[in-house]
Amino acid sequence: MIRVRFAPSPTGDLHVGGARTALFNWLYARKNGGTFILRIEDTDGARNTDEASAGILKGLKWLGLDWDEGPEKGGDYGPYYQSQRKDIYDRYLAKLEADGRTYVEENGAVRFKFSRTAITVHDMVCGDVTFAPTEEPDMTLRRPDGSYIFHFVNVVDDIEMKMTHVFRGEDHLSNTWKHIDLFNAFGATPPTYAHIPLILNSDSSKMSKRDAGSAIEGSYMNGGFLPDAVFNYLCLLGWTPRTEAEVLDRQTLTSLFEPSEIHSSNARFDMQKCSWFNAQYLRAQSPEDLLVAARPFLDRAGLVITDEAVAAAAVFSVKEKVSLLTEIPDWVHYFFREDYPYEADVVTKLKAKPENPALLQAAATAFAAQTEWSEASVHTAIEEAAKGASVKPGALMPLLRFALSGQSRGPGVSTIAHLIGKDSTLRRIERTLALE
RNA sequence: GACCCCUUCGUCUAGCGGUUAGGACACAUCCCUUUCACGGAUGCGACACGAGUUCGAUUCUCGUAGGGGUCGCCA
C-alpha cells in the first residue's frame, strides 16, 4: 500500500512550489490507489497554527488536491499537526538515548551522533546520490526548551505514519542523508525519495512569497485562474507526460504520471503560458459553469445580475477574448447596465462622419419594426437598414456596436442586441444619438 | 569555502550515437473576419565551452564555465 504525504509548514498561503510538491504526491497516490496524507509541520508555531494552516488547506482544496488523512479528515495515524505529537517525539528520542546515539549540550539541547559513514540516497528522480562521511557537527534534535527540530520530527512522522514514498523539493536533497542516518538509527527503512526540481522566477532567481505567481490564493484564486488550468500547468512544470497534447485533464494526467519521468533540472515559471492554459480551459466551459467561475469577479466589479440566463450568455460571448476571469467584467459590463461609458476615441469617430446619426436612426427604425427578437432577426434588420441607406452592413456594424456597448470591440453586434433585448437596444441608440 | 543537483530556441520541453534537432508559449507576417478575439498557415529562434571515446556525438566520459541548492538550537 502506497502512502505519500505533503508536509507544509503553515505560512498562511500555499506557495506554488509547495502546491506542485503536493500535486506530485497526490498524483502518485491517486494513480496507484494509495493514500495521500496531509501533515502540518508546525513545530515552530507558537503563533496561531489554525489560522496559518487554514490558508494551506484552502489552497489545496481549491486545486482539488483532496487528502485522505489529515486535518479535518482524521485518520489512523494522527494527530496530523506536529504541534500535537510531542509525546511521540519524546518516545522516539528516548530510543535514541537508550542506544547511546544522543548527547546533551550544556544548555540542554539534544544532539544526534551522526554515523559518519557514506550514505547513498536512492532517488526516483536523481538516481543514486552518495554522500561521503560527513564532517558537519552533529545535528540538533531538540532545543533547550524541549521543542523539536524539523529533521527529527519529519523522520519520526514518516516512520510513524508509514510513509512509503516522499516527493519533495530538491532543496531537501542535500539533507536527505541526515534523514537516512536517522532512519537507520531507528532501524527503520527510509521511504523511496523523489526530489523534484525547483520552480524559479523567469530571471531564474528563487521564487519567494512576494513574486508574481508565487501564492495560490493571491495569484491564482484572486487572479482569475481556473483550478484545472493551474493544476495542468503545474504538472507540466518539471514533468512531461508521454503524449502530444499539453491540455490534459486530471484523469489523464493521473493515469500518465510516472515519477521516473520527472525532470531533474529546475524550471522557470512562465505566467504567459500559465495564462494560456487558463484561456484554453475558459473556452471549454459551459455558459453556466463559466458564469459560476466569473461571478465573484462580476460581483467585485459591482455588476448586478438580474437574469441568470442572459448573464451566462453574456459571459459566454466573450470567453475567447480573455484569458483570465479578472478580464471579464471589462468585456461585459454594458450587458448589466445602460449607463455604460463611451470610449473617447470612438466618440470622435462617430462624430467624424455627419451621416452616422442617420445610419443609427435607420437601424433603430428597422429594429423597432421587428416583432420577433432573435440574433437572426436582428441581423436581418441590420442588413435591411444598411440596404435602405445604401451602405454595406459592415459600415453600420461599428456604429451599432459603439451605440450598444460604448466600446469598439466585443462580441457580434447581433449577439449583443439580442441579449440586451429590443427595448434596451432602442434606448441605447437613443442615448447615443443624444451624445454631444 | 565544502558538498549536492542541473545545463537543447527568450520560456516550458521532445530527443535516449547517424534527425533538414520536433512541439508548445511568446513574438512577426499572412489568411479568415462587422470590431476585438478564436482558428488556420508561415516565419523567427537552441544543443554553454573544451577535451576525449567512436567511422560518427545534442546524445557516452572527464574537465571548465554558468545556474540552482545545502551546510541552523528555520521548515
Side-chain angles (χ1 to χ4, degrees), chain A residues 76 99 127 185 219 238 248 254 332 348 385 427:
Chain A
D76 297 338
D99 291 342
S219 306
L248 302 162
T254 302
V332 300
T348 313
R427 280 196 300 274

Side-chain angles (χ1 to χ4, degrees), chain A residues 123-151:
Chain A
D123 194 281
M124 287 194 281
V125 175
C126 306
D128 286 357
V129 182
T130 300
F131 294 84
T134 188
E135 290 177 20
E136 284 180 29
D138 288 327
M139 153 171 82
T140 303
L141 301 180
R142 198 181 71 180
R143 304 185 186 91
D145 69 1
S147 63
Y148 289 94
I149 297 301
F150 160 75
H151 301 295

